[in-house]
Amino acid sequence: VQVEMVLPTGGHVRFSPTEWVNGDQLAWPRTTKVTGWCNSNPVEDETEWEWEVCPQGGVNFDDLWHAVRGGGNGWGVITSLDYQLPDYPGQLVPAAVFLGNSPDDIVLLSSSLQDAVQEVWINFLIDSQWNPSAVHMAEEESNLCGGPDV
């Protein structure tokens, strides 16, 4: 995955994991190093953008990676996400649930629980758009999901 975002300082950055470890107890690799670059020419035409190593002490990309994964707010606005996914035969279903504040809080799901989680997720998405009070969401918040402020 590669993330681009605009920071509260106005800086435009791009970053991604560059080192990780695998483990028997891990559902997926754990990121150990994140590398990033700063846009030194953030003009409207993206073909003219220039990505360079950030100034010394400018951005802590490890902290930024933690923040965009749910470790805090106020870090900036994500403007782009690029995923590189391997080919996968068949339908993609949830296989694990994150139930806490550390990677150790991941629970692997059985096949029957995967089906149940997928059904709950689909129902949540439908209700968040068409019946927002069912998921404790105000209609104004629902109108902001996936569309312009109405």
Side-chain angles (χ1 to χ4, degrees):
V1 67
Q2 177 176 276
V3 179
E4 285 184 24
M5 61 189 302
V6 177
L7 304 176
T9 60
H12 192 171
V13 297
R14 172 188 283 175
F15 57 98
S16 61
T18 50
E19 293 180 18
W20 47 88
V21 296
N22 293 309
D24 295 336
Q25 302 297 316
L26 300 175
W28 49 79
R30 178 176 295 148
T31 300
T32 58
K33 182 178 179 185
V34 179
T35 302
W37 305 267
C38 290
N39 184 345
S40 64
N41 187 32
V43 296
E44 189 172 327
D45 184 356
E46 292 182 26
T47 63
E48 296 179 20
W49 287 1
E50 297 174 12
W51 295 100
E52 300 175 349
V53 174
C54 296
Q56 184 73 15
V59 180
N60 183 328
F61 288 106
D62 291 317
D63 286 350
L64 198 54
W65 177 250
H66 176 72
V68 299
R69 292 183 57 235
N73 59 16
W75 288 82
V77 176
I78 295 175
T79 59
S80 173
L81 289 171
D82 291 325
Y83 291 99
Q84 180 181 356
L85 300 174
D87 292 335
Y88 184 85
Q91 183 180 7
L92 198 58
V93 295
V97 176
F98 186 66
L99 298 174
N101 294 321
S102 87
D104 298 328
D105 296 331
I106 296 171
V107 177
L108 298 178
L109 302 176
S110 68
S111 179
S112 61
L113 280 177
Q114 289 176 9
D115 292 341
V117 168
Q118 187 170 12
E119 183 178 343
V120 167
W121 177 245
I122 289 169
N123 288 334
F124 169 79
L125 292 176
I126 291 169
D127 283 341
S128 68
Q129 293 294 308
W130 305 107
N131 187 14
S133 63
V135 291
H136 307 288
M137 183 184 288
E139 187 173 337
E140 295 80 25
E141 293 170 314
S142 173
N143 288 340
L144 294 173
C145 294
D149 188 0
V150 179

